[in-house]
mmCIF file of all heavy atoms in Angstrom:
data_model
loop_
_atom_site.group_PDB
_atom_site.id
_atom_site.type_symbol
_atom_site.label_atom_id
_atom_site.label_comp_id
_atom_site.label_asym_id
_atom_site.label_seq_id
_atom_site.Cartn_x
_atom_site.Cartn_y
_atom_site.Cartn_z
ATOM 1 N N ARG E 1 104.502 67.918 84.541
ATOM 2 C CA ARG E 1 104.321 68.939 85.510
ATOM 3 C C ARG E 1 103.957 70.312 84.995
ATOM 4 O O ARG E 1 103.120 70.997 85.414
ATOM 5 C CB ARG E 1 105.722 69.057 86.256
ATOM 6 C CG ARG E 1 105.994 67.948 87.298
ATOM 7 C CD ARG E 1 106.925 68.391 88.297
ATOM 8 N NE ARG E 1 107.503 67.248 88.891
ATOM 9 C CZ ARG E 1 108.732 66.728 88.886
ATOM 10 N NH1 ARG E 1 109.618 67.489 87.990
ATOM 11 N NH2 ARG E 1 109.273 65.797 89.499
ATOM 12 N N GLY E 2 104.663 70.648 83.837
ATOM 13 C CA GLY E 2 104.398 71.950 83.276
ATOM 14 C C GLY E 2 102.997 72.071 82.757
ATOM 15 O O GLY E 2 102.227 73.076 82.898
ATOM 16 N N ALA E 3 102.458 70.968 82.164
ATOM 17 C CA ALA E 3 101.193 70.998 81.493
ATOM 18 C C ALA E 3 100.053 71.096 82.622
ATOM 19 O O ALA E 3 99.036 71.900 82.544
ATOM 20 C CB ALA E 3 100.951 69.709 80.714
ATOM 21 N N LEU E 4 100.153 70.333 83.665
ATOM 22 C CA LEU E 4 99.256 70.384 84.718
ATOM 23 C C LEU E 4 99.249 71.715 85.487
ATOM 24 O O LEU E 4 98.297 72.207 86.104
ATOM 25 C CB LEU E 4 99.260 69.135 85.631
ATOM 26 C CG LEU E 4 98.923 67.855 84.960
ATOM 27 C CD1 LEU E 4 98.772 66.688 85.938
ATOM 28 C CD2 LEU E 4 97.580 67.947 84.205
ATOM 29 N N THR E 5 100.390 72.199 85.671
ATOM 30 C CA THR E 5 100.644 73.544 86.341
ATOM 31 C C THR E 5 99.918 74.587 85.448
ATOM 32 O O THR E 5 99.135 75.454 86.082
ATOM 33 C CB THR E 5 102.101 73.861 86.549
ATOM 34 O OG1 THR E 5 102.725 72.975 87.275
ATOM 35 C CG2 THR E 5 102.229 75.243 87.253
ATOM 36 N N THR E 6 100.085 74.492 84.209
ATOM 37 C CA THR E 6 99.440 75.627 83.226
ATOM 38 C C THR E 6 98.000 75.368 83.357
ATOM 39 O O THR E 6 97.193 76.384 83.505
ATOM 40 C CB THR E 6 99.913 75.281 81.861
ATOM 41 O OG1 THR E 6 101.225 75.399 81.844
ATOM 42 C CG2 THR E 6 99.274 76.285 80.899
ATOM 43 N N PHE E 7 97.463 74.179 83.400
ATOM 44 C CA PHE E 7 95.975 73.986 83.518
ATOM 45 C C PHE E 7 95.447 74.437 84.775
ATOM 46 O O PHE E 7 94.416 75.062 84.870
ATOM 47 C CB PHE E 7 95.704 72.362 83.369
ATOM 48 C CG PHE E 7 94.328 72.060 83.227
ATOM 49 C CD1 PHE E 7 93.573 72.021 82.049
ATOM 50 C CD2 PHE E 7 93.580 71.802 84.439
ATOM 51 C CE1 PHE E 7 92.311 71.536 82.021
ATOM 52 C CE2 PHE E 7 92.217 71.476 84.434
ATOM 53 C CZ PHE E 7 91.612 71.349 83.095
ATOM 54 N N SER E 8 96.198 74.052 85.871
ATOM 55 C CA SER E 8 95.676 74.524 87.245
ATOM 56 C C SER E 8 95.617 76.003 87.414
ATOM 57 O O SER E 8 94.566 76.581 87.897
ATOM 58 C CB SER E 8 96.677 73.910 88.266
ATOM 59 O OG SER E 8 96.308 74.273 89.615
ATOM 60 N N ILE E 9 96.582 76.841 86.949
ATOM 61 C CA ILE E 9 96.498 78.263 86.997
ATOM 62 C C ILE E 9 95.536 78.832 86.166
ATOM 63 O O ILE E 9 94.804 79.721 86.513
ATOM 64 C CB ILE E 9 98.032 78.795 86.738
ATOM 65 C CG1 ILE E 9 98.993 78.372 87.878
ATOM 66 C CG2 ILE E 9 97.989 80.418 86.576
ATOM 67 C CD1 ILE E 9 100.441 78.682 87.494
ATOM 68 N N ALA E 10 95.377 78.260 84.893
ATOM 69 C CA ALA E 10 94.409 78.715 83.968
ATOM 70 C C ALA E 10 92.937 78.512 84.472
ATOM 71 O O ALA E 10 92.013 79.350 84.167
ATOM 72 C CB ALA E 10 94.516 78.143 82.607
ATOM 73 N N ASN E 11 92.773 77.532 85.302
ATOM 74 C CA ASN E 11 91.500 77.361 85.888
ATOM 75 C C ASN E 11 90.891 78.424 86.693
ATOM 76 O O ASN E 11 89.638 78.670 86.722
ATOM 77 C CB ASN E 11 91.562 76.111 86.956
ATOM 78 C CG ASN E 11 91.130 74.807 86.333
ATOM 79 O OD1 ASN E 11 90.209 74.146 86.840
ATOM 80 N ND2 ASN E 11 91.870 74.358 85.255
ATOM 81 N N ASP E 12 91.734 79.188 87.278
ATOM 82 C CA ASP E 12 91.431 80.214 88.204
ATOM 83 C C ASP E 12 90.472 81.355 87.408
ATOM 84 O O ASP E 12 89.646 82.033 88.066
ATOM 85 C CB ASP E 12 92.628 81.017 88.785
ATOM 86 C CG ASP E 12 93.203 80.158 89.991
ATOM 87 O OD1 ASP E 12 92.554 79.150 90.326
ATOM 88 O OD2 ASP E 12 94.253 80.459 90.233
ATOM 89 N N ILE E 13 90.792 81.571 86.115
ATOM 90 C CA ILE E 13 89.968 82.567 85.447
ATOM 91 C C ILE E 13 88.584 82.304 85.454
ATOM 92 O O ILE E 13 87.849 83.252 85.710
ATOM 93 C CB ILE E 13 90.474 82.628 83.906
ATOM 94 C CG1 ILE E 13 91.941 83.031 83.907
ATOM 95 C CG2 ILE E 13 89.726 83.523 83.037
ATOM 96 C CD1 ILE E 13 92.620 83.079 82.621
ATOM 97 N N ALA E 14 88.078 81.058 85.200
ATOM 98 C CA ALA E 14 86.597 80.804 85.291
ATOM 99 C C ALA E 14 86.099 80.934 86.697
ATOM 100 O O ALA E 14 85.002 81.469 86.920
ATOM 101 C CB ALA E 14 86.403 79.295 84.750
ATOM 102 N N LYS E 15 86.974 80.629 87.633
ATOM 103 C CA LYS E 15 86.488 80.812 89.048
ATOM 104 C C LYS E 15 86.251 82.136 89.493
ATOM 105 O O LYS E 15 85.306 82.505 90.304
ATOM 106 C CB LYS E 15 87.436 80.077 89.969
ATOM 107 C CG LYS E 15 87.496 78.563 89.696
ATOM 108 C CD LYS E 15 88.762 77.946 90.446
ATOM 109 C CE LYS E 15 88.888 76.437 90.044
ATOM 110 N NZ LYS E 15 90.120 75.898 90.564
ATOM 111 N N TYR E 16 86.972 83.161 88.828
ATOM 112 C CA TYR E 16 86.703 84.543 89.130
ATOM 113 C C TYR E 16 85.360 84.906 88.720
ATOM 114 O O TYR E 16 84.641 85.624 89.469
ATOM 115 C CB TYR E 16 87.794 85.385 88.444
ATOM 116 C CG TYR E 16 89.211 85.138 88.815
ATOM 117 C CD1 TYR E 16 90.204 85.312 87.883
ATOM 118 C CD2 TYR E 16 89.590 84.908 90.050
ATOM 119 C CE1 TYR E 16 91.534 85.164 88.197
ATOM 120 C CE2 TYR E 16 90.925 84.846 90.461
ATOM 121 C CZ TYR E 16 91.872 84.909 89.468
ATOM 122 O OH TYR E 16 93.141 84.725 89.808
ATOM 123 N N PHE E 17 85.017 84.338 87.464
ATOM 124 C CA PHE E 17 83.734 84.644 87.011
ATOM 125 C C PHE E 17 82.546 84.120 87.716
ATOM 126 O O PHE E 17 81.475 84.558 87.668
ATOM 127 C CB PHE E 17 83.569 84.469 85.476
ATOM 128 C CG PHE E 17 84.419 85.442 84.640
ATOM 129 C CD1 PHE E 17 85.710 85.185 84.219
ATOM 130 C CD2 PHE E 17 83.753 86.517 84.108
ATOM 131 C CE1 PHE E 17 86.353 85.973 83.438
ATOM 132 C CE2 PHE E 17 84.488 87.436 83.389
ATOM 133 C CZ PHE E 17 85.807 87.173 82.950
ATOM 134 N N ALA E 18 82.892 82.963 88.428
ATOM 135 C CA ALA E 18 81.873 82.135 89.133
ATOM 136 C C ALA E 18 81.610 82.773 90.560
ATOM 137 O O ALA E 18 80.603 83.030 91.060
ATOM 138 C CB ALA E 18 82.261 80.783 89.158
ATOM 139 N N ILE E 19 82.682 82.977 91.254
ATOM 140 C CA ILE E 19 82.643 83.299 92.628
ATOM 141 C C ILE E 19 82.571 84.773 93.032
ATOM 142 O O ILE E 19 81.812 85.176 93.867
ATOM 143 C CB ILE E 19 83.808 82.633 93.449
ATOM 144 C CG1 ILE E 19 83.757 81.039 93.331
ATOM 145 C CG2 ILE E 19 83.875 82.986 94.897
ATOM 146 C CD1 ILE E 19 84.755 80.323 94.114
ATOM 147 N N LEU E 20 83.420 85.571 92.368
ATOM 148 C CA LEU E 20 83.377 87.036 92.724
ATOM 149 C C LEU E 20 82.096 87.638 92.562
ATOM 150 O O LEU E 20 81.630 88.357 93.459
ATOM 151 C CB LEU E 20 84.494 87.713 91.856
ATOM 152 C CG LEU E 20 85.951 87.248 92.268
ATOM 153 C CD1 LEU E 20 86.969 88.149 91.407
ATOM 154 C CD2 LEU E 20 86.164 87.594 93.774
ATOM 155 N N PRO E 21 81.348 87.457 91.431
ATOM 156 C CA PRO E 21 79.973 87.934 91.332
ATOM 157 C C PRO E 21 79.005 87.488 92.397
ATOM 158 O O PRO E 21 78.220 88.341 92.990
ATOM 159 C CB PRO E 21 79.527 87.611 89.985
ATOM 160 C CG PRO E 21 80.745 87.298 89.124
ATOM 161 C CD PRO E 21 81.621 86.706 90.191
ATOM 162 N N ALA E 22 79.186 86.146 92.794
ATOM 163 C CA ALA E 22 78.371 85.680 93.865
ATOM 164 C C ALA E 22 78.682 86.327 95.085
ATOM 165 O O ALA E 22 77.841 86.552 95.959
ATOM 166 C CB ALA E 22 78.521 84.137 93.907
ATOM 167 N N LEU E 23 79.945 86.578 95.483
ATOM 168 C CA LEU E 23 80.316 87.025 96.771
ATOM 169 C C LEU E 23 79.852 88.517 96.912
ATOM 170 O O LEU E 23 79.381 88.920 98.000
ATOM 171 C CB LEU E 23 81.839 87.059 96.964
ATOM 172 C CG LEU E 23 82.480 85.757 97.502
ATOM 173 C CD1 LEU E 23 83.913 85.973 97.530
ATOM 174 C CD2 LEU E 23 82.078 85.461 98.921
ATOM 175 N N PHE E 24 80.057 89.338 95.806
ATOM 176 C CA PHE E 24 79.823 90.871 96.053
ATOM 177 C C PHE E 24 78.418 91.253 95.376
ATOM 178 O O PHE E 24 78.232 92.426 95.170
ATOM 179 C CB PHE E 24 80.960 91.502 95.358
ATOM 180 C CG PHE E 24 82.219 91.405 96.118
ATOM 181 C CD1 PHE E 24 83.197 90.451 95.694
ATOM 182 C CD2 PHE E 24 82.568 92.317 97.172
ATOM 183 C CE1 PHE E 24 84.328 90.393 96.381
ATOM 184 C CE2 PHE E 24 83.802 92.151 97.860
ATOM 185 C CZ PHE E 24 84.585 91.183 97.491
ATOM 186 N N ALA E 25 77.561 90.209 95.108
ATOM 187 C CA ALA E 25 76.213 90.621 94.314
ATOM 188 C C ALA E 25 75.498 91.534 95.178
ATOM 189 O O ALA E 25 74.919 92.529 94.720
ATOM 190 C CB ALA E 25 75.600 89.372 94.104
ATOM 191 N N SER E 26 75.435 91.330 96.526
ATOM 192 C CA SER E 26 74.630 92.226 97.366
ATOM 193 C C SER E 26 75.377 93.547 97.773
ATOM 194 O O SER E 26 74.657 94.440 98.043
ATOM 195 C CB SER E 26 74.325 91.419 98.713
ATOM 196 O OG SER E 26 75.512 91.174 99.480
ATOM 197 N N ILE E 27 76.657 93.654 97.590
ATOM 198 C CA ILE E 27 77.313 94.806 97.973
ATOM 199 C C ILE E 27 77.536 95.599 96.728
ATOM 200 O O ILE E 27 77.321 96.915 96.737
ATOM 201 C CB ILE E 27 78.661 94.529 98.582
ATOM 202 C CG1 ILE E 27 78.498 93.609 99.818
ATOM 203 C CG2 ILE E 27 79.552 95.777 98.961
ATOM 204 C CD1 ILE E 27 79.850 93.148 100.412
ATOM 205 N N TYR E 28 77.993 94.983 95.672
ATOM 206 C CA TYR E 28 78.116 95.743 94.459
ATOM 207 C C TYR E 28 77.348 95.132 93.289
ATOM 208 O O TYR E 28 77.885 94.153 92.510
ATOM 209 C CB TYR E 28 79.640 95.777 93.975
ATOM 210 C CG TYR E 28 80.573 96.407 94.951
ATOM 211 C CD1 TYR E 28 81.369 95.829 95.648
ATOM 212 C CD2 TYR E 28 80.455 97.754 95.071
ATOM 213 C CE1 TYR E 28 82.355 96.352 96.588
ATOM 214 C CE2 TYR E 28 81.330 98.506 95.942
ATOM 215 C CZ TYR E 28 82.254 97.701 96.706
ATOM 216 O OH TYR E 28 83.064 98.361 97.566
ATOM 217 N N PRO E 29 76.077 95.417 93.137
ATOM 218 C CA PRO E 29 75.204 94.831 92.097
ATOM 219 C C PRO E 29 75.735 94.868 90.667
ATOM 220 O O PRO E 29 75.437 94.121 89.825
ATOM 221 C CB PRO E 29 73.914 95.449 92.273
ATOM 222 C CG PRO E 29 73.879 96.170 93.610
ATOM 223 C CD PRO E 29 75.412 96.463 93.878
ATOM 224 N N GLN E 30 76.550 95.869 90.486
ATOM 225 C CA GLN E 30 77.211 96.134 89.133
ATOM 226 C C GLN E 30 78.048 94.938 88.691
ATOM 227 O O GLN E 30 78.252 94.598 87.548
ATOM 228 C CB GLN E 30 77.978 97.348 89.082
ATOM 229 C CG GLN E 30 77.200 98.659 89.385
ATOM 230 C CD GLN E 30 77.157 98.984 90.865
ATOM 231 O OE1 GLN E 30 77.502 98.208 91.650
ATOM 232 N NE2 GLN E 30 76.901 100.276 91.132
ATOM 233 N N LEU E 31 78.542 94.172 89.713
ATOM 234 C CA LEU E 31 79.366 92.980 89.395
ATOM 235 C C LEU E 31 78.565 91.878 88.849
ATOM 236 O O LEU E 31 79.297 90.814 88.331
ATOM 237 C CB LEU E 31 80.225 92.589 90.591
ATOM 238 C CG LEU E 31 81.310 93.371 91.125
ATOM 239 C CD1 LEU E 31 81.937 92.856 92.395
ATOM 240 C CD2 LEU E 31 82.368 93.671 90.094
ATOM 241 N N GLY E 32 77.298 91.967 88.752
ATOM 242 C CA GLY E 32 76.561 90.968 88.289
ATOM 243 C C GLY E 32 76.778 90.736 86.718
ATOM 244 O O GLY E 32 76.572 89.657 86.164
ATOM 245 N N VAL E 33 77.310 91.655 86.026
ATOM 246 C CA VAL E 33 77.681 91.606 84.555
ATOM 247 C C VAL E 33 78.923 90.571 84.418
ATOM 248 O O VAL E 33 79.118 90.053 83.355
ATOM 249 C CB VAL E 33 78.149 92.948 84.000
ATOM 250 C CG1 VAL E 33 76.940 93.984 84.003
ATOM 251 C CG2 VAL E 33 79.408 93.514 84.729
#
């Protein structure tokens, strides 16, 4: 349980870099970095 919980929460870091720039690319072009 602990191992997969750790893995699940750590997954979110990559998703921030994938989705947030895509969502706000047209509003805040600077987030493209």
Side-chain angles (χ1 to χ4, degrees):
R1 285 203 196 109
L4 294 186
T5 301
T6 303
F7 186 90
S8 180
I9 294 174
N11 263 242
D12 287 347
I13 296 176
K15 295 167 190 174
Y16 296 146
F17 286 93
I19 294 185
L20 291 180
L23 273 176
F24 291 95
S26 59
I27 302 174
Y28 298 108
Q30 298 88 341
L31 289 178
V33 298

